[in-house]
C-alpha cells in the first residue's frame, strides 16, 4: 500500500474532519521522528497522512490561572526553552532536554512521545508525576482522561480511530512544590532511556512530605506511577536517612515487578540512584 494523499491541516477543525473521514486508513504526523522510520520499514501502511505540525491550537503552551496546558504538537525544544514554565518544573524541561539529538528535539513532539506508548518515553515520567490529564478530541467532542489511563499496553493507546491527543494539562505548582527528574541511559549521546524517574513533591517548613507522586520509565510496559512507594513516603520527614530508606523500598518494589527478568538486578539497583537524584533535586528547587 502506498500513501495516496498528504493533507496539510491548516487548523484543528480540518485535522479532526480529515481524521474522521479516513479513520484507520490515515495516520497523523507532526514531528515525524518515529512515524517516518515506521513508514520506511513498512510497520505502518496508511493511505493518507494528516500533517498537524502547523496546527496552531496544538502548538501552544498555555499558562492559565490554576493549570498549565501543553499542546500535543509542542516540540521538546520549545518545552526546554520555554520561559513560561518556571523552575519548579525543571524536571519536565530536563526530560525534554535529554530526548535524542538536537535535531530530534527540534522536530519531535510531546504528543508523539506519549502516543507511541514506549516504556522509555522520557517526558512521560514527569507528566505522570504531575498527575497530568490528557485532553482528547474528535469531531464528536472532547474528553479528558488521566494520562496513566490512556496507556493500554506497550505501543497501545486508548485513542479511537477518529480521535487525536489535543494537549496535556496539569495543576500549576505552588511555592512548596517542585518536580525533579533523573535519567540513566546506556550512552550520553542519543541515549534511549534505560531508567527514568521523576518525583513531584510538596513539603512543609519541617521538611515533611505532604504529597508525593513518582513517575517511572523503562520499568514496565509503559510509564508508571510508583504508588506503593508514594504511600511509604507520604507524611514522613525527608531527611537523608529516610531518602535512603525510601530508595531501598522502591528497589524492593521493582525487584518484585521484574521477577524472572534478566534486567531485574541492574534496574532494581539503578533505580535507587535515579530516585535519590530526582527527589533531592525537587527538594532543592523548593528551598532555592
Amino acid at each position: 500500500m502506498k500513501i495516496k494523499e498528504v493533507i496539510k491541516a491548516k487548523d484543528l477543525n480540518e485535522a479532526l474532519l480529515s481524521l474522521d473521514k479516513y479513520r484507520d486508513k490515515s495516520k497523523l504526523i507532526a514531528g515525524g521522528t518515529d512515524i517516518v522510520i515506521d513508514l520506511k520499514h513498512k510497520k505502518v501502511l496508511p493511505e493518507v497522512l494528516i500533517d498537524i505540525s502547523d496546527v496552531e491550537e496544538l502548538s501552544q503552551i498555555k499558562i492559565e490561572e490554576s493549570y498549565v496546558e501543553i499542546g500535543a504538537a509542542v516540540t521538546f525544544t520549545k518545552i526546554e526553552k520555554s520561559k513560561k514554565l518556571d523552575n519548579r518544573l525543571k524536571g519536565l524541561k530536563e526530560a525534554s532536554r535529554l530526548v535524542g539529538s538536537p535535531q530530534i528535539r527540534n522536530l519531535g513532539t510531546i504528543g508523539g512521545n506519549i502516543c507511541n506508548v514506549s516504556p522509555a518515553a522520557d517526558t512521560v515520567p514527569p507528566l505522570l508525576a504531575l498527575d497530568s490529564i490528557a485532553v482528547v478530541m474528535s469531531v464528536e467532542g472532547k474528553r479528558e482522561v488521566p494520562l496513566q489511563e490512556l496507556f493500554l499496553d506497550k505501543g497501545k493507546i486508548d485513542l479511537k480511530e477518529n480521535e487525536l491527543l489535543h494537549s496535556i494539562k496539569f495543576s500549576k505548582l505552588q511555592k512548596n512544590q517542585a518536580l525533579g527528574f533523573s535519567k540513566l541511559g546506556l550512552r550520553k549521546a542519543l541515549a534511549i532511556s534505560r531508567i527514568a524517574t521523576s518525583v513531584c513533591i510538596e513539603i512543609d517548613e519541617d521538611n515533611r512530605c505532604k504529597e508525593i507522586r513518582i513517575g517511572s520509565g523503562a520499568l514496565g510496559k509503559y510509564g508508571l506511577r510508583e504508588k506503593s512507594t508514594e504511600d511509604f513516603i507520604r507524611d514522613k520527614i525527608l531527611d537523608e536517612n529516610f531518602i535512603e530508606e525510601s530508595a531501598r523500598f522502591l528497589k524492593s518494589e521493582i525487584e518484585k515487578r521484574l521477577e524472572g527478568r534478566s534486567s531485574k538486578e541492574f534496574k532494581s539497583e539503578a533505580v535507587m540512584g535515579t530516585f535519590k537524584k530526582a527527589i533531592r533535586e525537587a527538594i532543592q528547587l523548593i528551598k532555592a
Side-chain angles (χ1 to χ4, degrees):
M1 186 184 297
K2 293 184 178 180
I3 296 172
K4 297 178 180 178
E5 186 178 1
V6 176
I7 298 171
K8 182 76 168 175
K10 63 180 181 295
D11 56 30
L12 180 60
N13 186 56
E14 184 178 8
L16 292 175
L17 288 171
S18 300
L19 195 57
D20 190 63
K21 178 179 179 180
Y22 294 104
R23 298 200 174 217
D24 64 339
K25 296 179 181 179
S26 67
K27 284 288 181 183
L28 296 171
I29 182 170
T33 55
D34 289 301
I35 194 172
V36 168
I37 296 171
D38 289 344
L39 289 168
K40 181 179 180 180
H41 294 288
K42 296 181 169 52
K43 290 184 179 179
V44 294
L45 299 167
E47 292 183 18
V48 178
L49 274 181
I50 304 169
D51 186 345
I52 58 172
S53 58
D54 288 340
V55 175
E56 183 66 23
E57 297 99 316
L58 302 177
S59 305
Q60 299 176 355
I61 298 175
K62 297 180 180 178
I63 311 296
E64 304 294 348
E65 184 175 349
S66 61
Y67 64 90
V68 176
E69 186 168 12
I70 302 176
V74 172
T75 66
F76 301 118
T77 296
K78 189 170 182 177
I79 294 170
E80 177 196 349
K81 304 293 187 183
S82 176
K83 294 180 179 178
K84 292 182 178 181
L85 302 175
D86 67 35
N87 204 42
R88 283 169 293 187
L89 289 168
K90 183 180 178 181
L92 179 59
K93 300 177 85 167
E94 181 71 358
S96 300
R97 185 183 71 82
L98 293 174
V99 173
S101 65
Q103 295 92 331
I104 290 172
R105 293 193 293 274
N106 288 340
L107 290 172
T109 64
I110 194 167
N113 208 221
I114 292 166
C115 291
N116 286 333
V117 197
S118 166
D122 285 314
T123 60
V124 168
L127 290 173
L128 289 173
L130 287 164
D131 207 21
S132 297
I133 299 294
V135 180
V136 176
M137 294 192 70
S138 71
V139 292
E140 295 153 8
K142 177 174 75 172
R143 65 185 177 101
E144 297 186 357
V145 57
L147 177 59
Q148 183 72 83
E149 294 179 15
L150 210 59
F151 304 139
L152 301 177
D153 204 340
K154 183 178 180 179
K156 294 184 179 180
I157 193 163
D158 183 23
L159 289 177
K160 298 175 185 174
E161 292 173 345
N162 68 333
E163 288 183 324
L164 61 73
L165 178 64
H166 172 275
S167 57
I168 289 289
K169 65 181 187 179
F170 49 85
S171 297
K172 290 174 71 173
L173 297 186
Q174 306 304 310
K175 65 180 182 179
N176 59 340
Q177 300 172 323
L179 178 74
F181 176 81
S182 178
K183 168 183 172 178
L184 177 65
L186 292 179
R187 307 179 306 278
K188 288 186 178 180
L190 308 184
I192 293 175
S193 179
R194 277 298 291 270
I195 294 177
T197 307
S198 189
V199 179
C200 186
I201 58 169
E202 176 184 345
I203 57 176
D204 63 17
E205 60 275 7
D206 297 320
N207 232 35
R208 187 178 298 277
C209 178
K210 305 302 292 182
E211 184 55 86
I212 182 166
R213 294 184 297 270
I214 305 167
S216 64
L219 293 173
K221 292 182 178 180
Y222 41 76
L224 296 168
R225 282 274 299 276
E226 303 294 345
K227 293 193 176 182
S228 295
T229 306
E230 293 172 7
D231 292 340
F232 180 78
I233 296 171
R234 195 174 289 111
D235 293 325
K236 307 294 195 310
I237 293 176
L238 296 178
D239 58 23
E240 276 301 312
N241 287 336
F242 185 71
I243 288 173
E244 290 288 342
E245 186 180 348
S246 301
R248 290 192 294 271
F249 183 92
L250 177 58
K251 176 185 178 181
S252 69
E253 291 296 298
I254 301 306
E255 284 176 334
K256 287 184 282 187
R257 184 182 306 159
L258 300 181
E259 188 62 50
R261 298 190 187 182
S262 60
S263 60
K264 170 187 167 182
E265 185 175 352
F266 165 73
K267 288 191 172 184
S268 62
E269 189 70 33
V271 74
M272 294 176 66
T274 57
F275 165 76
K276 287 187 287 186
K277 184 177 178 181
I279 195 168
R280 286 169 180 155
E281 179 178 76
I283 293 169
Q284 288 171 1
L285 289 168
I286 292 171
K287 295 185 175 182

